[in-house]
Structures are given as C-alpha cells and as structure tokens.
Amino acid sequence: DPAQGAKCAVFKELPGLGEPWFPIINCKLKLADCKAFVRFSAKPLKGDYLLQFEPRDYEGKGAWQYVSGLFMKFEDGGLFVNGGRLVSAPIGAWTDVTVHFDLKARTWTAEARTRGGESGTKSGKLPKGFDMLTYVGFIGYGKVGSEIAVDDIEFGEEK
C-alpha cells in the first residue's frame, strides 16, 4: 500500500541494537541562495515507531560537524517539528510532508497532511550557520521495535 508506489521502502527497527541506524536515506546536495524543498510520505506500520528527518548544512564545518535546519520526527502517534506536534500520525495511516526552505530569507516552513484530512503548518528561522542545504536524511535510533514506510521522496530547488 505505497503512497504512490514510486519509491517506497519499509524500515524495521529492533530494540537492543548496539548502534542507531543512520542514515537510512542519505541525500547529498549543495543548494544555497535559493528556494528548496523536500517532500515525502510516511506510514507507521507497527510498534512504537521513531523516525527522525533532518536537513543539515555540512559545508565548511569540519569533519562530522553540521548545523541542523530543523528537527522533525514521527513518534508517539504524531509528527513533531522542533518539539511541537504538527499532526497525528497513527499506525496504518499515510502522512504527506513537505518542507520548504528559503535559503536567502533564512526561513523554513513544514507542511503535513494526513490522508484523513488533518493538516498542520509550522514555520521558523534557519539557525545561525545553516547557509546551504547539503544533506537530507532519515534517521532511526535502534531502541524500539517498529516498522515505518517512507515513499515518494523528492527534493531539490523550487522553480
């Protein structure tokens, strides 16, 4: 039951893993001074799922150093952005997510809509040091037993 069937993957997490699995999806780009987007759909399938989405800027930061643009995660029956609940995300239901970045104005806007019709939007300023979108990734922590599907991943410069 993929969102659109184009690029669906199911990720399984098991408790007791020695290390978190990250990134499960890792896309490197170099977008600056433009408007950019990341779009995807996610569907928790079972368990106490935990999936984090994080855009980062690694440019000129040193080895393994980065600045995160925002913090988004699917957890505890919801989709949260920077600690605030955006929409509910129950097991068995697709949530469509788009994050817009204005790298000149240094802002972001996260939009989510469930297939049941609930929607939410949250905006914010990009933190100091986040000057270029160089990475988008999905991360898990290896601490809970769960499955979550991710589908229809798109990213790039907005035209």
Side-chain angles (χ1 to χ4, degrees):
D1 181 26
Q4 300 297 322
K7 307 167 191 98
C8 190
V10 174
F11 299 98
K12 296 180 181 183
E13 185 173 27
L14 301 171
L17 293 175
E19 296 288 330
W21 43 268
F22 58 90
I24 56 171
I25 299 173
N26 174 5
C27 304
K28 294 185 178 182
L29 2 145
K30 271 196 160 180
L31 295 175
D33 295 327
C34 67
K35 292 184 178 181
F37 73 94
V38 178
R39 184 176 299 119
F40 64 93
S41 299
K43 176 182 177 181
L45 299 172
K46 70 178 185 179
D48 296 323
Y49 57 90
L50 175 61
L51 177 76
Q52 176 183 317
F53 164 75
E54 193 172 6
R56 298 176 180 175
D57 179 0
Y58 280 98
E59 188 70 18
K61 308 287 189 282
W64 296 104
Q65 300 297 310
Y66 62 89
V67 175
S68 179
L70 64 109
F71 184 78
M72 177 181 283
K73 66 180 176 175
F74 286 84
E75 182 178 40
D76 297 329
L79 171 60
F80 298 83
V81 178
N82 288 354
R85 188 181 186 109
L86 192 60
V87 294
S88 61
I91 289 185
W94 284 105
T95 301
D96 301 316
V97 178
T98 303
V99 182
H100 301 275
F101 300 91
D102 186 330
L103 298 166
K104 283 186 181 180
R106 305 189 44 72
T107 60
W108 58 265
T109 299
E111 303 169 341
R113 176 178 291 283
T114 67
R115 301 290 168 88
E118 181 185 359
S119 63
T121 302
K122 185 172 185 173
S123 297
K125 295 291 267 177
L126 289 167
K128 183 178 180 174
F130 194 101
D131 303 311
M132 182 181 295
L133 181 59
T134 60
Y135 163 102
V136 293
F138 295 87
I139 302 163
Y141 292 95
K143 296 184 189 276
V144 298
S146 68
E147 292 183 17
I148 189 165
V150 179
D151 197 2
D152 294 331
I153 302 166
E154 296 180 69
F155 54 88
E157 188 173 342
E158 289 187 343
K159 305 295 179 200

